[in-house]
Amino acid sequence: MLTKDFYFDLPQELIAQHPAGVRGEDKLMELGRLNGNVIHHAMSELPDLIDSSTLMIFNNSRVRRARVYGVKQTTGREQEFMFLNQVDADGCVWNTMVKGAKKQKPGMQYTFPDGSVGTIIEDEAKDGTEFRDMKFDFRITEDWFEKNGHIPLPPYIKREDTEEDSERYQNVYAKETGSAACPTAGLHFTEDMLKRLADKGIDIEWVTLHVGLGTFLPVREDEIENHKMHEEVYTVPEITARKINEAHREGRKVLAVGTTSVRTLESACDENGVVKAGTGSTHIFMYPGFKFKVVDEMFTNFHTPESTLIMLVSAFAGREHILNAYNTAVQNKYRFFSYGDAMLIK
């Protein structure tokens, strides 16, 4: 299957550059997974579209202020780094994604806003890639990111982050810090919406998957089967696994909120779809032909052309259904990507 099979025309003006004026006041498209039927709604109608016996699973990962600017000591030039994950047990060495990585050589030092200094160190496995390891002489903590970092808005948002993004590019239920990008399907949910869902009897549980490299890297292979996903760490609590397995035994639907929740659940199950609790890592890549064992329904955003995310939803609802729905969204001026509108696939 070819990467270009997942292309669609998207006018630039439909790429949301800012969140909606009020959180949760978004358009919502309902897509029939089997028949491809499209119905237009408002996000406020969501509780009416979900059966009260449904179990909803959310990813509670919290976004780290992971975009950090350092000044190169030899030139005084500013350099952007995206801090992705710590490499060593001490928390002194971090894997970063860096612009112009070929020019960032081992031994180069950078001074960060609080005066701390990081040094690029040798890692042959990262030669020729966008990534470099950076070492500090102290443990990097979340407090360091709060002092030095910026909200890591995705590259299709063509502006610098603001104080508004500190709140709006974070889910209201986010708890476990560690993501380098927001699991953005959750941005549509308010405390009031969560209460309305609970009041209807809809059960809600949580998983954690820290969004990492896969979010940023395009599919560069012509044939999608040759694309390799980077690993991301996830955790499924005991209560979440138990409730999912109970729901399946009782014939109730499991609705995953966001592609990260889908990736977690489909990675944490056995061949019979039984979900196991615990922490693990996944490089699962879902594209048409993938057999879903856990997820019955999905709530998600509208994704970028030729991305692993549009391939994932195409695996769930069929490529033609997804592309037809996306073209309908364009015609109806839906807003796309992280700060855009939403889709319920059922």
Side-chain angles (χ1 to χ4, degrees), residues 313-332:
V313 295
S314 295
F316 192 71
R319 186 182 70 90
E320 290 188 4
H321 290 166
I322 288 294
L323 291 180
N324 286 339
Y326 275 43
N327 287 329
T328 300
V330 169
Q331 294 164 12
N332 286 271

Side-chain angles (χ1 to χ4, degrees), residues 12 15-19 153 156-159 165 335 339:
Q12 283 291 117
I15 300 175
Q17 298 297 306
H18 295 271
L153 295 177
Y156 45 74
I157 294 181
K158 306 296 185 182
R159 61 177 177 82
D165 297 305
R335 301 167 77 238
Y339 276 147

Side-chain angles (χ1 to χ4, degrees), residues 214-316:
T215 294
F216 298 98
L217 297 181
V219 178
R220 296 193 176 101
E221 302 287 348
D222 291 334
E223 296 182 359
I224 65 174
E225 292 86 351
N226 295 327
H227 178 71
K228 303 297 182 186
M229 296 285 286
H230 286 266
E231 286 197 341
E232 294 170 311
V233 176
Y234 67 82
T235 299
V236 179
E238 289 280 356
I239 188 172
T240 302
R242 176 170 57 79
K243 286 193 174 184
I244 291 171
N245 296 330
E246 287 176 354
H248 280 166
R249 286 196 297 269
E250 296 166 2
R252 295 185 287 118
K253 302 285 190 185
V254 173
L255 193 168
V257 176
T259 56
T260 58
S261 296
V262 175
R263 285 169 51 78
T264 298
L265 298 182
E266 296 295 334
S267 298
C269 69
D270 65 18
E271 60 184 12
N272 298 312
V274 176
V275 175
K276 299 179 180 179
T279 296
S281 62
T282 180
H283 51 76
I284 191 170
F285 181 22
M286 302 149 131
Y287 52 86
F290 181 87
K291 304 300 182 184
F292 290 82
K293 303 180 182 71
V294 180
V295 177
D296 303 298
E297 298 179 343
M298 188 188 310
F299 181 96
T300 187
N301 281 5
F302 290 88
H303 303 295
T304 54
E306 299 184 342
S307 65
T308 60
L309 300 181
I310 194 173
M311 294 171 190
L312 185 156
V313 295
S314 295
F316 192 71

Side-chain angles (χ1 to χ4, degrees), residues 41-326:
H41 299 281
M43 181 65 191
S44 59
E45 300 173 61
L46 181 66
D48 300 327
L49 307 179
I50 301 175
D51 190 276
S52 60
S53 67
T54 300
L55 171 62
M56 294 183 72
I57 306 296
F58 290 77
N59 179 9
N60 65 5
S61 180
R62 185 174 180 82
V63 181
R64 171 180 287 133
R65 297 180 75 92
R67 176 175 282 124
V68 188
Y69 295 90
V71 174
K72 191 174 181 180
Q73 291 190 345
T74 55
T75 65
R77 292 181 179 176
E78 188 175 71
Q79 179 67 49
E80 177 185 320
F81 295 89
M82 181 72 75
F83 282 70
L84 297 166
N85 56 277
Q86 70 180 54
V87 175
D88 65 330
D90 295 330
C92 300
V93 180
W94 279 72
N95 178 30
T96 72
M97 186 166 68
V98 53
K99 290 184 176 180
K102 290 181 180 179
K103 298 180 181 179
Q104 315 312 317
K105 305 295 185 182
M108 289 182 175
Q109 293 188 311
Y110 296 83
T111 302
F112 293 94
D114 68 347
S116 57
V117 176
T119 304
I120 303 251
I121 62 173
E122 184 73 48
D123 184 346
E124 292 183 1
K126 292 184 170 66
D127 289 347
T129 72
E130 300 96 332
F131 311 108
R132 293 292 181 268
D133 284 348
M134 179 167 285
K135 183 177 182 179
F136 296 80
D137 59 6
F138 60 93
R139 181 178 183 84
I140 297 295
T141 65
E142 294 306 325
D143 182 61
W144 187 87
F145 286 109
E146 288 297 317
K147 290 178 180 176
N148 294 281
H150 293 256
I151 297 297
L153 295 177
Y156 45 74
I157 294 181
K158 306 296 185 182
R159 61 177 177 82
E160 293 299 315
D161 63 303
T162 66
E163 279 305 308
E164 178 187 40
D165 297 305
S166 297
E167 181 217 349
R168 295 298 299 275
Y169 194 68
Q170 196 80 266
N171 292 318
V172 297
Y173 50 79
K175 181 180 179 182
E176 305 293 338
T177 302
S179 278
C182 183
T184 53
L187 293 178
H188 304 280
F189 290 84
T190 62
E191 294 289 358
D192 179 67
M193 174 59 72
L194 294 173
K195 183 178 184 299
R196 288 178 59 200
L197 292 167
D199 288 347
K200 185 175 178 178
I202 294 167
D203 204 359
I204 293 174
E205 287 300 336
W206 313 94
V207 295
T208 305
L209 182 141
H210 293 314
V211 184
L213 310 183
T215 294
F216 298 98
L217 297 181
V219 178
R220 296 193 176 101
E221 302 287 348
D222 291 334
E223 296 182 359
I224 65 174
E225 292 86 351
N226 295 327
H227 178 71
K228 303 297 182 186
M229 296 285 286
H230 286 266
E231 286 197 341
E232 294 170 311
V233 176
Y234 67 82
T235 299
V236 179
E238 289 280 356
I239 188 172
T240 302
R242 176 170 57 79
K243 286 193 174 184
I244 291 171
N245 296 330
E246 287 176 354
H248 280 166
R249 286 196 297 269
E250 296 166 2
R252 295 185 287 118
K253 302 285 190 185
V254 173
L255 193 168
V257 176
T259 56
T260 58
S261 296
V262 175
R263 285 169 51 78
T264 298
L265 298 182
E266 296 295 334
S267 298
C269 69
D270 65 18
E271 60 184 12
N272 298 312
V274 176
V275 175
K276 299 179 180 179
T279 296
S281 62
T282 180
H283 51 76
I284 191 170
F285 181 22
M286 302 149 131
Y287 52 86
F290 181 87
K291 304 300 182 184
F292 290 82
K293 303 180 182 71
V294 180
V295 177
D296 303 298
E297 298 179 343
M298 188 188 310
F299 181 96
T300 187
N301 281 5
F302 290 88
H303 303 295
T304 54
E306 299 184 342
S307 65
T308 60
L309 300 181
I310 194 173
M311 294 171 190
L312 185 156
V313 295
S314 295
F316 192 71
R319 186 182 70 90
E320 290 188 4
H321 290 166
I322 288 294
L323 291 180
N324 286 339
Y326 275 43

Side-chain angles (χ1 to χ4, degrees), residues 14 16-20 26 302 333-337 339-342:
L14 296 184
Q17 298 297 306
H18 295 271
D26 308 293
F302 290 88
K333 306 298 183 185
Y334 277 67
R335 301 167 77 238
F336 279 69
F337 310 160
Y339 276 147
D341 295 310

